[in-house]
Amino acid sequence: MKRCWIAAVTCLMTVVMMSFASVAIAKVKPSVETAKCLDCHEAMPGIVSQWEDSAHWDAGVGCYECHKAEKTDADAMDHYGFTVSIIVSPRDCGACHPKETAEQEASHHAKAGDILNTKDGILGQTIGGEPAVAVGCRQCHGSIVKANADGSLDTNTWPNTGIGRVNPDGSKGTCSACHTRHRFSKEQARQPQTCGKCHLGPDHPQKEVYEESKHGILYAAFKDDLNMDQPKWVAGEDYFDAPTCSTCHMSATRNQEVTHDVGTRLSWNLRAPISKRTANSEQKLADMKDVCSACHGEPFVEGFYTQLDEFVVFYNNKFAIPAKEIRQLLMDEGVISKSDFDEKIDWLYWELWHHEGRRARHGASMSGPDYAWWHGIYDVAKNFYTEMLPEAKEACERAGKPEVYERIVATYIDGRKEHEWYTKGFDKGRIEEMKKYYLERYNQKVN
Amino acid sequence: MKRCWIAAVTCLMTVVMMSFASVAIAKVKPSVETAKCLDCHEAMPGIVSQWEDSAHWDAGVGCYECHKAEKTDADAMDHYGFTVSIIVSPRDCGACHPKETAEQEASHHAKAGDILNTKDGILGQTIGGEPAVAVGCRQCHGSIVKANADGSLDTNTWPNTGIGRVNPDGSKGTCSACHTRHRFSKEQARQPQTCGKCHLGPDHPQKEVYEESKHGILYAAFKDDLNMDQPKWVAGEDYFDAPTCSTCHMSATRNQEVTHDVGTRLSWNLRAPISKRTANSEQKLADMKDVCSACHGEPFVEGFYTQLDEFVVFYNNKFAIPAKEIRQLLMDEGVISKSDFDEKIDWLYWELWHHEGRRARHGASMSGPDYAWWHGIYDVAKNFYTEMLPEAKEACERAGKPEVYERIVATYIDGRKEHEWYTKGFDKGRIEEMKKYYLERYNQKVN
Amino acid sequence: MKRCWIAAVTCLMTVVMMSFASVAIAKVKPSVETAKCLDCHEAMPGIVSQWEDSAHWDAGVGCYECHKAEKTDADAMDHYGFTVSIIVSPRDCGACHPKETAEQEASHHAKAGDILNTKDGILGQTIGGEPAVAVGCRQCHGSIVKANADGSLDTNTWPNTGIGRVNPDGSKGTCSACHTRHRFSKEQARQPQTCGKCHLGPDHPQKEVYEESKHGILYAAFKDDLNMDQPKWVAGEDYFDAPTCSTCHMSATRNQEVTHDVGTRLSWNLRAPISKRTANSEQKLADMKDVCSACHGEPFVEGFYTQLDEFVVFYNNKFAIPAKEIRQLLMDEGVISKSDFDEKIDWLYWELWHHEGRRARHGASMSGPDYAWWHGIYDVAKNFYTEMLPEAKEACERAGKPEVYERIVATYIDGRKEHEWYTKGFDKGRIEEMKKYYLERYNQKVN
């Protein structure tokens, strides 16, 4: 509460002091060229007004300064006597923001478009189709933007603000994926919703996990106290009440600078079918723990990571590795084809790691228990025991090779404590205990 | 920032000017009748206080002005000497708001209750049951409200604020579905959450799509800058930073008046099994593009619609039309019955278009890539290839008519480039490329 | 609007009055011990700053006052000369907050950990595994915290803030599950997001239902008007525009005190496989209706409960009881084993009541129509008719006992009006009506 009064007093005094000052004039005037742009583009008041509320406006950086192009640029177009391009690429932004651009170019984000040449891409383009890839996959991963002969942009590839967009000038990424045109606001980019444009859904529900977590709950409660609109934004110096995605993955701490190379604090690869440590994971882990330490003591942080590490190893060993090897065995023994997505078990395995197994791991890593369990391991286990194993058995029988399934059971199930219940059933003692509980609590018998 | 100061100064001055003025008295006094109502109803402080914060209060429109009834009204009741009815219907509101009422009566919204006499209704009432329709379907679509002999309302049909409610006076709809009692706030009605009461979920996730989209991200970031509480609310004049549902579908632009006839800017029917253009779609499209132009340039808008149109046609041609025709063929050939929901393939087809296919189309039309792809076409394709086609095959075999499935394959799959992978598998080159990528990126072999 | 002016004037006057007062000093100074703690712990500025914004700070309740321990405590540790423990248990909080602690100890919340010794627990620990239970189940339900010999906490059991945590001192629960460390804010605890840490997801989506409901819509619109930061927070006295979870389940009304014993206003058990009235349900119902009456008139409240009660009975009778009895019959006749989760039908029945049936009931009880219907009864019915019954039939055939399925049909389906469609198909008249509607509305034929 005391902060509230201090803020109110400060606000009052500043208002009085500022009330006769010239408040509507930028520090630097727009250029002659930009003034010309505005003559017509005032008909698009949204973007003009957004820009007037931006730091760019204050700095005299206007339409022309960003959109000007060289005649030799692939997407250069003559526009009422000016040579401009629609796309302002990271290379363009880098003229004033070289550090940020270099970090982003080096990041995983800048390579997000590459995935469309992979298994995911096969899925999208073959099983789905190009028009679905254009409005779906590429809106997050980025398109390879093609300029037409006149400099206009091929609509198969644009509009697009995917984070891994390949621009006509060869640069990768798009700053406005996060710093939305034309405010380019730091405040907006720091909000969790910004990351949630892409980091959500059945295959990587980071947004949903964050919202469920204490971090997201505190953000909802105290977001107005976080000083998100301030240029300097150091956890533990400028705000204290909640972290956003940016806090942990990008923003400054008392010991680290802000970085636009996301991924530099990630010590586990939780996306892959089977999780492995990332390169230089020890340094990355240390950097993340440094973020945690703004609010959490060492026992908490170490305890958290012990639980996470054990969970990831458990996921790998109980489900992910066996599932992968079982499918491989079925392929090697000629029970199923070596192609993807043409057998039921291909889809089951795919969703086990790509959807369910990621949800589990993201839930665990960001403290969202519902995602770790119900959307996660519960779904993984249900798939493994009630879909994958029965389908493996049936596939072997259909192929006239029941001995392959026997080998699977002998290798992956029998004699492994964690799968004992599958062949031997539940311990009777536990079941009796459970029935007693339901009778007492709900006054009814449980089946 | 400059706006912030201007606002602060204005606020300060106004506060000073207003500080001795009479602030707690409405411009028009409540009527004698309303004052009588309040004598007792102050025991319901929620609604009384809400009303005191409404424009109605300021205008002297109180309890009695809205709830008064004629003795001949079906739902008229004597209430301590006053003749009143519980329901205030659009016809009642229309006494003061005739334009809004007329627009709403002409809208798709007013007909939302009719759907309960259709396929959806059969599903709800037969497979579900009346009590589920009452608390489920009808809470959005609207009930046919029945008055008891004493004017009280039949609880099978009320409480209900469904948008297509049929009122005792025969009028359709309910204004308070969006302008919630008893503030009847414009500001609240303009917020996306309002539409999200009904436009969400597995079969039309507009709320979720909006939240994922740049529009929703900007709304979350800048909603306090949108002047949503102002009577005049023109995109590009009164606000600049984000659109809400209302902005695009109902609210005023520089060239269009506000309308309560939702649907007048929709050029595609994205709800139907197979999407078609709406009546007068060209005008509707022009009206929607006019909204877009407050913030977006022509190349962006045209590019967006090119991508959308191609996507809808792709959905129709690759999945929706074949799925529909395949089911029809199975019916015509006596493989399955002509009834709905009594065969597995009935449910598969239903969810393909009604759930998955809508998610895909709504995702594409409102720029939510996760809905266009993962919740959309991915689910459509998975259903079509791994559920519908195998089930069609099995149904033909069960019926002793395997030649029908051969005809299906010959007609809908073979020789169609977009389905080639289903019978011929994946291109080997693509698979090798994918494996190489996974090895490099994740340091592990991919299956 | 008038409230706005009053608030502004009040604010202005208070600001002026307070502007020279000493604003950064708590009413009570931190203790000598706490001052010592701060010497080092200022390196964790998050929690220190949060505490400085808390009522504890104002009251001179600091680090030591809460974390001090007796040497004989299981989790006591020597910490630079002080005897402290990491966990501050409800017993510790109860030294100053005895009423709240006693209520919470008596509540369902305090027993949330017990469920891990039940069917849910078998599922988690056997089919999942301990590491998944640690980061999943126990993060909501609570762990049994184990102290190591040196007083540090076993990382298998901590970090954990589950609401039913069993603490080293034997007390149950954790106040910071809702009043998050180290602000311990009433305001935050009253927000719906707080409850949403655990009350969400496929098996109890209360958070999602609330967000869809009018209550949640109004909260989104008017949350700044709710005076949530005030100590006294009585619905209908201190706020009028929207209820939060807390309003209905815990907070004060004009006739009831605030209680930390959640569940005292719940007249139905909507969690159990088959819903029953709770103990003393009449008093509980009266208490909940008292909450409703702050905003709703008697006809509305009675109508709401009539619809809810009919819905719950319908769910029980049409689906839940038959599903349970059918599975029991299959067990009794030796068609399936008596163990849980080792037959397909075990999983189907489990999700029918534990996931789908709860979604339906929670949707109905909190006015979220999409959850009552699409996520609810639609999924229940689809499971019952297209999964459970066919699986029962197949199981009987596999077991060589087709007569058991015939008995099931004779007992539960035939001659029961609500299931007639399943064996006799749809009424032809309804189908024709539906086709006509689709033709008129969408200009296409419906299958």
Side-chain angles (χ1 to χ4, degrees):
Chain A
M1 283 306 288
K2 66 186 175 302
R3 277 221 185 93
C4 179
W5 293 122
I6 296 171
V9 173
T10 312
C11 178
L12 179 73
M13 289 167 57
T14 321
V15 166
V16 173
M17 286 161 58
M18 295 292 290
S19 59
F20 299 99
S22 114
V23 293
I25 295 170
K27 290 172 197 144
V28 182
K29 268 194 162 181
S31 65
V32 176
E33 294 87 347
T34 290
K36 274 275 192 192
C37 302
L38 293 172
D39 284 350
C40 296
H41 282 285
E42 64 186 1
M44 291 158 71
I47 58 173
V48 173
S49 168
Q50 291 158 14
W51 166 70
E52 287 176 358
D53 280 331
S54 76
H56 281 173
W57 188 82
D58 255 341
V61 176
C63 317
Y64 186 72
E65 286 64 40
C66 297
H67 284 281
K68 72 182 168 196
E70 299 296 321
K71 283 203 170 138
T72 50
D73 291 351
D75 58 341
M77 46 205 301
D78 178 76
H79 188 65
Y80 301 100
F82 293 103
T83 302
V84 299
S85 64
I86 288 176
I87 285 184
V88 178
S89 80
R91 191 167 301 162
D92 298 322
C93 301
C96 296
H97 305 282
K99 176 176 179 291
E100 290 78 5
T101 301
E103 288 165 351
Q104 128 77 16
E105 281 266 342
S107 78
H108 204 73
H109 266 165
K111 299 179 198 85
D114 296 356
I115 205 165
L116 300 179
N117 297 319
T118 70
K119 193 169 193 169
D120 298 60
I122 291 175
L123 189 72
Q125 286 154 9
T126 313
I127 295 172
E130 276 296 314
V133 174
V135 301
C137 317
R138 288 199 193 108
Q139 293 298 326
C140 284
H141 288 277
S143 61
I144 302 174
V145 180
K146 202 175 131 191
N148 297 320
D150 64 354
S152 67
L153 302 173
D154 175 3
T155 55
N156 288 314
T157 65
W158 185 91
N160 186 289
T161 54
I163 196 86
R165 190 177 72 189
V166 182
N167 299 296
D169 64 8
S171 66
K172 287 183 173 183
T174 160
C175 304
S176 71
C178 306
H179 298 275
T180 309
R181 302 189 303 271
H182 281 90
R183 268 202 180 196
F184 313 104
S185 158
K186 277 191 176 69
E187 182 177 12
Q188 182 248 308
R190 286 165 178 160
Q191 298 190 359
Q193 286 85 358
T194 296
C195 310
K197 185 195 154 194
C198 296
H199 292 271
L200 84 170
D203 60 330
H204 42 40
Q206 286 103 338
K207 184 191 172 204
E208 294 91 333
V209 172
Y210 174 79
E211 284 177 356
E212 187 200 356
S213 77
K214 274 287 183 195
H215 290 165
I217 292 166
L218 294 175
Y219 175 77
F222 300 120
K223 61 174 174 289
D224 293 340
D225 297 355
L226 298 183
N227 295 313
M228 297 177 78
D229 61 342
Q230 296 303 305
K232 176 170 163 297
W233 199 60
V234 177
E237 283 183 11
D238 304 304
Y239 63 107
F240 308 91
D241 289 300
T244 71
C245 312
S246 180
T247 300
C248 300
H249 295 286
M250 302 178 73
S251 298
T253 72
R254 290 164 295 163
N255 305 305
Q256 294 176 73
E257 284 195 352
V258 61
T259 178
H260 282 67
D261 183 358
V262 293
T264 59
R265 299 171 192 168
L266 294 176
S267 51
W268 274 112
N269 178 343
L270 301 177
R271 278 184 314 265
I274 295 160
S275 280
K276 300 203 172 170
R277 292 290 183 184
T278 52
N280 299 318
S281 67
E282 285 183 29
Q283 182 58 49
K284 288 172 177 166
L285 180 59
D287 287 349
M288 186 62 94
K289 286 181 176 177
D290 167 58
V291 182
C292 307
S293 74
C295 293
H296 296 287
E298 200 199 343
F300 187 97
V301 176
E302 294 303 321
F304 169 81
Y305 271 106
T306 303
Q307 292 186 5
L308 174 61
D309 294 351
E310 285 179 3
F311 177 82
V312 175
V313 171
F314 151 81
Y315 160 78
N316 278 351
N317 291 344
K318 181 164 182 184
F319 297 113
I321 294 172
K324 182 182 171 171
E325 291 184 1
I326 287 168
R327 181 163 167 266
Q328 187 61 50
L329 188 65
L330 294 173
M331 286 180 171
D332 293 345
E333 297 295 331
V335 170
I336 60 171
S337 87
K338 300 206 174 207
S339 292
D340 285 309
F341 299 115
D342 63 345
E343 311 265 3
K344 190 175 171 190
I345 211 162
D346 297 335
W347 290 83
L348 294 172
Y349 172 66
W350 162 257
E351 294 204 346
L352 185 145
W353 73 264
H354 185 271
H355 285 46
E356 301 149 5
R358 282 187 182 168
R359 293 197 297 256
R361 290 174 280 170
H362 293 147
S365 66
M366 288 166 58
S367 299
D370 207 60
Y371 285 84
W373 176 249
W374 288 116
H375 296 282
I377 290 298
Y378 174 79
D379 280 344
V380 168
K382 188 180 157 198
N383 182 338
F384 185 79
Y385 290 127
T386 78
E387 301 276 348
M388 260 202 87
L389 286 178
E391 176 58 24
K393 188 179 182 193
E394 278 183 42
C396 291
E397 282 165 6
R398 278 196 305 267
K401 301 179 178 178
E403 72 280 5
V404 176
Y405 186 69
E406 282 165 28
R407 243 173 78 201
I408 287 172
V409 171
T411 311
Y412 295 104
I413 307 300
D414 281 348
R416 292 177 70 154
K417 191 72 187 164
E418 72 269 31
H419 297 306
E420 197 175 58
W421 78 273
Y422 189 67
T423 44
K424 301 194 181 165
F426 287 111
D427 174 66
K428 300 290 171 195
R430 291 297 306 279
I431 292 168
E432 289 315 306
E433 206 174 294
M434 174 266 291
K435 290 188 174 175
K436 190 161 156 276
Y437 173 87
Y438 264 70
L439 191 61
E440 281 169 9
R441 180 160 173 184
Y442 296 128
N443 195 27
Q444 67 176 59
K445 290 178 187 169
V446 170
N447 291 317
Chain B
M1 283 307 289
K2 65 187 175 303
R3 276 217 186 96
C4 180
W5 294 123
I6 296 171
V9 172
T10 312
C11 178
L12 179 74
M13 289 165 58
T14 322
V15 166
V16 173
M17 287 161 56
M18 295 293 290
S19 59
F20 299 99
S22 112
V23 293
I25 295 171
K27 291 170 197 145
V28 183
K29 268 195 161 180
S31 65
V32 176
E33 292 88 348
T34 289
K36 273 274 193 195
C37 302
L38 292 171
D39 284 349
C40 297
H41 282 285
E42 63 185 3
M44 291 158 69
I47 59 174
V48 174
S49 167
Q50 291 157 14
W51 165 70
E52 287 176 358
D53 279 331
S54 75
H56 281 172
W57 189 83
D58 255 340
V61 176
C63 318
Y64 186 72
E65 286 64 40
C66 298
H67 285 280
K68 71 182 169 196
E70 299 296 321
K71 284 207 169 132
T72 51
D73 292 350
D75 57 342
M77 46 206 299
D78 178 75
H79 188 64
Y80 300 100
F82 294 103
T83 302
V84 299
S85 64
I86 289 177
I87 284 184
V88 178
S89 80
R91 190 167 299 162
D92 298 322
C93 302
C96 296
H97 305 281
K99 177 177 178 292
E100 289 78 5
T101 301
E103 288 165 351
Q104 127 78 17
E105 282 265 344
S107 77
H108 203 73
H109 267 164
K111 299 180 198 84
D114 295 357
I115 205 165
L116 300 179
N117 297 319
T118 69
K119 194 171 194 168
D120 298 59
I122 291 174
L123 188 72
Q125 286 153 10
T126 314
I127 295 172
E130 276 296 313
V133 174
V135 300
C137 317
R138 288 198 192 109
Q139 293 299 327
C140 283
H141 287 277
S143 60
I144 303 174
V145 180
K146 202 174 130 192
N148 297 320
D150 63 354
S152 67
L153 303 174
D154 176 3
T155 55
N156 288 313
T157 65
W158 184 90
N160 185 289
T161 55
I163 195 85
R165 189 177 71 188
V166 182
N167 300 296
D169 64 8
S171 66
K172 286 183 174 183
T174 162
C175 304
S176 71
C178 305
H179 298 275
T180 309
R181 300 190 304 270
H182 282 91
R183 267 203 181 197
F184 312 105
S185 159
K186 277 191 176 71
E187 181 177 12
Q188 181 248 308
R190 286 165 178 159
Q191 297 190 0
Q193 286 85 358
T194 297
C195 310
K197 185 196 155 194
C198 297
H199 291 271
L200 86 170
D203 61 328
H204 41 40
Q206 286 103 336
K207 185 192 172 204
E208 294 92 331
V209 172
Y210 174 78
E211 284 178 356
E212 187 200 355
S213 77
K214 274 286 183 195
H215 291 164
I217 292 165
L218 293 175
Y219 176 77
F222 300 120
K223 60 175 175 290
D224 293 339
D225 297 355
L226 297 183
N227 295 313
M228 297 177 77
D229 59 343
Q230 297 302 305
K232 176 171 163 297
W233 199 59
V234 177
E237 284 183 11
D238 303 305
Y239 62 108
F240 307 91
D241 288 299
T244 71
C245 312
S246 180
T247 300
C248 300
H249 296 286
M250 301 178 73
S251 298
T253 71
R254 289 163 295 162
N255 304 305
Q256 294 176 75
E257 283 194 353
V258 61
T259 177
H260 282 67
D261 182 358
V262 293
T264 59
R265 299 171 190 168
L266 294 175
S267 51
W268 275 113
N269 177 343
L270 301 178
R271 277 185 315 265
I274 295 160
S275 280
K276 300 201 173 172
R277 292 288 183 186
T278 52
N280 299 318
S281 68
E282 285 184 29
Q283 182 58 48
K284 288 172 177 166
L285 180 59
D287 287 348
M288 186 62 94
K289 287 182 177 177
D290 167 58
V291 182
C292 306
S293 73
C295 293
H296 295 286
E298 200 200 343
F300 186 98
V301 176
E302 296 302 323
F304 168 81
Y305 271 107
T306 304
Q307 292 186 5
L308 174 61
D309 294 351
E310 286 179 1
F311 177 82
V312 175
V313 171
F314 150 82
Y315 160 77
N316 279 351
N317 291 345
K318 180 163 183 184
F319 297 113
I321 295 172
K324 183 182 170 170
E325 292 184 0
I326 287 168
R327 181 163 168 267
Q328 188 61 50
L329 188 65
L330 294 173
M331 287 179 171
D332 293 346
E333 297 296 333
V335 170
I336 61 171
S337 86
K338 299 204 176 211
S339 292
D340 285 309
F341 299 115
D342 64 345
E343 311 264 5
K344 190 175 173 191
I345 211 161
D346 297 335
W347 290 83
L348 293 172
Y349 172 65
W350 162 257
E351 294 205 346
L352 186 144
W353 74 265
H354 185 272
H355 285 46
E356 301 149 4
R358 281 186 182 169
R359 293 196 297 255
R361 290 173 281 170
H362 293 147
S365 66
M366 289 167 56
S367 299
D370 207 60
Y371 285 84
W373 176 248
W374 288 116
H375 295 282
I377 290 298
Y378 174 79
D379 280 343
V380 168
K382 188 179 156 197
N383 182 337
F384 186 79
Y385 290 127
T386 79
E387 302 276 348
M388 260 202 87
L389 286 178
E391 177 58 24
K393 189 178 181 195
E394 278 182 40
C396 291
E397 283 166 4
R398 280 196 304 268
K401 301 179 179 180
E403 71 281 5
V404 176
Y405 186 69
E406 281 165 27
R407 242 173 80 201
I408 287 172
V409 172
T411 312
Y412 294 103
I413 307 299
D414 282 348
R416 292 178 70 154
K417 189 73 188 165
E418 71 269 31
H419 296 306
E420 197 175 59
W421 79 272
Y422 188 66
T423 44
K424 300 196 182 166
F426 286 112
D427 175 65
K428 299 291 172 196
R430 289 299 306 280
I431 292 169
E432 290 314 306
E433 205 174 294
M434 174 266 291
K435 290 189 174 175
K436 189 160 156 277
Y437 174 86
Y438 264 71
L439 190 61
E440 282 170 9
R441 180 160 173 185
Y442 296 127
N443 195 28
Q444 67 176 58
K445 291 178 187 171
V446 170
N447 293 318
Chain C
M1 286 304 291
K2 64 185 178 303
R3 277 219 185 94
C4 179
W5 293 123
I6 297 170
V9 173
T10 313
C11 177
L12 179 73
M13 289 166 56
T14 321
V15 165
V16 172
M17 286 161 57
M18 295 293 291
S19 60
F20 299 100
S22 114
V23 294
I25 295 169
K27 289 171 199 146
V28 183
K29 267 194 162 181
S31 66
V32 176
E33 293 87 350
T34 289
K36 273 276 191 191
C37 302
L38 292 172
D39 285 348
C40 297
H41 283 285
E42 63 186 3
M44 291 159 70
I47 58 174
V48 173
S49 167
Q50 291 158 15
W51 166 69
E52 287 176 358
D53 280 331
S54 76
H56 281 172
W57 189 82
D58 254 341
V61 176
C63 317
Y64 186 72
E65 287 64 41
C66 297
H67 284 280
K68 73 182 169 197
E70 299 297 321
K71 283 206 170 133
T72 50
D73 291 351
D75 58 341
M77 47 206 298
D78 177 75
H79 188 64
Y80 301 100
F82 294 103
T83 302
V84 299
S85 64
I86 289 177
I87 285 184
V88 178
S89 80
R91 190 167 300 163
D92 298 322
C93 301
C96 296
H97 305 282
K99 176 176 179 293
E100 290 77 5
T101 301
E103 288 165 352
Q104 127 78 16
E105 282 266 342
S107 78
H108 204 72
H109 267 166
K111 300 179 197 84
D114 296 356
I115 204 165
L116 300 179
N117 297 319
T118 69
K119 194 170 193 168
D120 298 60
I122 291 175
L123 188 72
Q125 285 154 8
T126 315
I127 295 171
E130 275 296 314
V133 174
V135 301
C137 318
R138 288 198 192 109
Q139 293 299 325
C140 284
H141 288 277
S143 60
I144 302 173
V145 180
K146 202 175 131 192
N148 297 320
D150 63 354
S152 67
L153 303 173
D154 175 2
T155 55
N156 288 313
T157 65
W158 185 88
N160 186 290
T161 54
I163 196 85
R165 190 177 71 188
V166 182
N167 300 296
D169 64 8
S171 67
K172 287 184 173 183
T174 159
C175 304
S176 71
C178 305
H179 297 275
T180 309
R181 299 191 303 270
H182 281 93
R183 268 204 181 195
F184 312 105
S185 159
K186 277 193 177 68
E187 182 177 14
Q188 181 247 308
R190 286 165 178 159
Q191 298 191 358
Q193 286 84 0
T194 296
C195 310
K197 184 196 156 194
C198 296
H199 291 272
L200 84 170
D203 61 329
H204 41 41
Q206 286 102 338
K207 185 191 172 204
E208 295 91 333
V209 173
Y210 174 79
E211 284 178 357
E212 187 200 356
S213 77
K214 274 287 184 196
H215 291 164
I217 293 166
L218 293 174
Y219 176 76
F222 300 120
K223 62 174 174 289
D224 293 339
D225 296 355
L226 298 182
N227 295 313
M228 297 177 78
D229 60 343
Q230 296 303 304
K232 176 170 163 296
W233 199 61
V234 177
E237 284 183 11
D238 304 304
Y239 63 107
F240 308 91
D241 289 298
T244 71
C245 311
S246 179
T247 300
C248 300
H249 296 285
M250 301 178 73
S251 297
T253 72
R254 289 163 297 163
N255 305 305
Q256 294 176 73
E257 283 195 352
V258 61
T259 177
H260 281 69
D261 182 358
V262 293
T264 58
R265 300 171 190 168
L266 294 176
S267 51
W268 274 114
N269 178 343
L270 301 178
R271 278 184 313 264
I274 295 160
S275 279
K276 300 203 172 170
R277 292 288 183 186
T278 52
N280 300 317
S281 67
E282 285 183 30
Q283 183 58 49
K284 288 172 178 167
L285 180 60
D287 287 348
M288 186 63 94
K289 287 181 177 177
D290 167 57
V291 182
C292 307
S293 73
C295 294
H296 296 286
E298 199 199 343
F300 187 98
V301 176
E302 294 303 322
F304 168 82
Y305 272 106
T306 304
Q307 292 186 5
L308 174 61
D309 293 351
E310 286 179 2
F311 177 82
V312 176
V313 171
F314 151 81
Y315 160 78
N316 279 350
N317 291 344
K318 180 164 182 184
F319 296 113
I321 295 172
K324 182 182 172 170
E325 292 184 0
I326 288 168
R327 179 162 167 268
Q328 187 62 49
L329 188 66
L330 293 173
M331 286 179 173
D332 293 345
E333 296 295 333
V335 170
I336 61 171
S337 86
K338 299 205 175 208
S339 292
D340 285 309
F341 299 116
D342 63 344
E343 310 265 3
K344 190 176 172 191
I345 211 161
D346 297 335
W347 291 82
L348 293 172
Y349 172 65
W350 162 257
E351 294 205 348
L352 186 143
W353 73 265
H354 185 271
H355 285 45
E356 301 149 5
R358 282 187 181 168
R359 292 196 298 255
R361 289 173 282 170
H362 294 146
S365 66
M366 290 167 56
S367 299
D370 207 60
Y371 285 83
W373 176 248
W374 288 116
H375 296 281
I377 290 298
Y378 174 79
D379 280 343
V380 168
K382 188 180 157 196
N383 182 338
F384 186 80
Y385 290 127
T386 79
E387 302 276 348
M388 260 201 89
L389 287 178
E391 177 58 24
K393 189 179 181 194
E394 278 182 41
C396 291
E397 283 166 6
R398 279 197 304 268
K401 301 178 178 179
E403 72 280 5
V404 176
Y405 187 68
E406 281 165 28
R407 243 173 78 202
I408 287 172
V409 172
T411 312
Y412 294 103
I413 307 300
D414 281 348
R416 292 178 70 152
K417 189 74 189 166
E418 70 269 31
H419 296 305
E420 197 177 57
W421 78 272
Y422 188 67
T423 44
K424 300 195 182 167
F426 287 112
D427 175 66
K428 300 292 170 197
R430 290 296 308 279
I431 291 168
E432 290 315 307
E433 206 174 293
M434 174 267 290
K435 289 188 174 175
K436 191 161 155 277
Y437 173 87
Y438 264 71
L439 190 62
E440 281 170 10
R441 180 161 173 184
Y442 296 128
N443 195 27
Q444 67 175 58
K445 291 178 185 169
V446 170
N447 292 318

